[in-house]
Amino acid sequence: MDIITFGNIDSDNILIQMVGEHELSFLGKEVEYIKDLAGTDDFGLMAVKVESWNRDLSPWEAPAVFGDEPFGGRAEQTLEELKGIIDSELLRGRDASDVNLYIGGYSLSGLFALWSVYNVNYFKGAAAVSPSVWFPGFDEYISGRDIGTDAVYLSLGKKEEKTRNQVMARVGEVIKDIERQLQPKLRCILAWNEGNHFKEPEVRTAKGFAWLLRNQECKATER
């Protein structure tokens, strides 16, 4: 996996984002949006480029939902590799408990971020931005399951559930159910954006990371 870093990687606030080739061109803009929205530049962003989007970020194998490429179910291995990268590239001897590690992502990367905090207590917060929570079996997987983080930012485009693809059309129903499950347990927000899945991913992702940075010590949910 290739690593691209932005900002102050020695900061106590580290944002981690799994990305695909299609996202590399707007990461610089995303970082600038985060600075503006969070009101601080005291953070570093580590973008980790996966080799295969559908294979490396999906929690288990599933048939193709759009196009011809199925999902490879390699998220567990990806998470283990990511933890190794964090230890070697970011922490460098620092204790993980002394650093605010946040994981976030867009689309299938957003699903990976959310799935990750149901599997490890490594991250202080997660930003699941337009996440692929329609993924077959994901809602059943997390139902009643403990989550290992303090804050979760969820967001979706208002038109994302308006699709003829019946699997993906469940995204609105599922994300609202996730919010209902998480609200009593931790700081959580479900933000709605204008447009479909493809509108301004860098702005939407920046909003998620900025919310995590702003709400580190907040006791009440922003709505």
Side-chain angles (χ1 to χ4, degrees), residues 144-161:
R145 192 180 184 94
D146 290 335
I147 190 168
T149 194
D150 298 328
V152 172
Y153 177 96
L154 304 167
S155 76
L156 203 67
K158 294 178 182 178
K159 293 183 179 180
E160 291 196 52
E161 60 188 331

Side-chain angles (χ1 to χ4, degrees), residues 185-209:
K185 302 176 183 179
L186 44 76
R187 298 191 302 278
C188 178
I189 182 174
L190 172 54
W192 293 91
N193 298 291
E194 296 299 327
N196 61 20
H197 184 69
F198 301 101
K199 184 175 181 181
E200 299 183 326
E202 69 278 18
V203 178
R204 294 185 188 181
T205 307
K207 287 178 180 179
F209 278 133

Side-chain angles (χ1 to χ4, degrees), residues 6 23 27 38 51 74-75 77-79 81 106 108-109 142 166 179 183 200 208 212:
F6 300 85
E23 296 176 300
L27 286 175
E51 196 173 305
R74 198 177 178 275
Q77 294 95 317
T78 299
L79 181 57
E81 291 176 30
Y106 196 87
L108 195 58
S109 176
I142 65 171
Q166 300 210 350
E179 183 202 22
Q183 278 286 358
E200 299 183 326
L212 291 174

Side-chain angles (χ1 to χ4, degrees), residues 39-101:
T40 182
D41 60 2
D42 182 20
F43 66 88
L45 171 69
M46 183 178 78
V48 182
K49 180 180 171 292
V50 295
E51 196 173 305
S52 172
W53 184 257
N54 280 16
R55 182 194 68 194
D56 296 338
L57 298 178
S58 51
W60 45 81
E61 293 183 0
V65 173
F66 51 90
D68 300 321
E69 185 181 358
F71 297 96
R74 198 177 178 275
E76 187 173 347
Q77 294 95 317
T78 299
L79 181 57
E80 285 305 308
E81 291 176 30
L82 176 61
K83 288 168 64 179
I85 291 170
I86 292 170
D87 288 338
S88 62
E89 300 292 332
L90 294 179
L91 296 180
R92 297 195 299 271
R94 292 187 289 176
D95 193 297
S97 62
D98 295 330
V99 181
N100 299 316
L101 296 172

Side-chain angles (χ1 to χ4, degrees), residues 114 118 128 131 133 138-139 142 147 152-155 171-192 211 221-223:
L114 188 57
Y118 277 99
V133 292
F138 184 73
D139 49 345
I142 65 171
I147 190 168
V152 172
Y153 177 96
L154 304 167
S155 76
V171 68
E173 168 195 341
V174 175
I175 204 167
K176 284 182 279 192
D177 187 55
I178 293 171
E179 183 202 22
R180 283 192 293 268
Q181 291 183 47
L182 294 182
Q183 278 286 358
K185 302 176 183 179
L186 44 76
R187 298 191 302 278
C188 178
I189 182 174
L190 172 54
W192 293 91
W211 184 87
T221 301
E222 177 184 311
R223 295 192 64 81

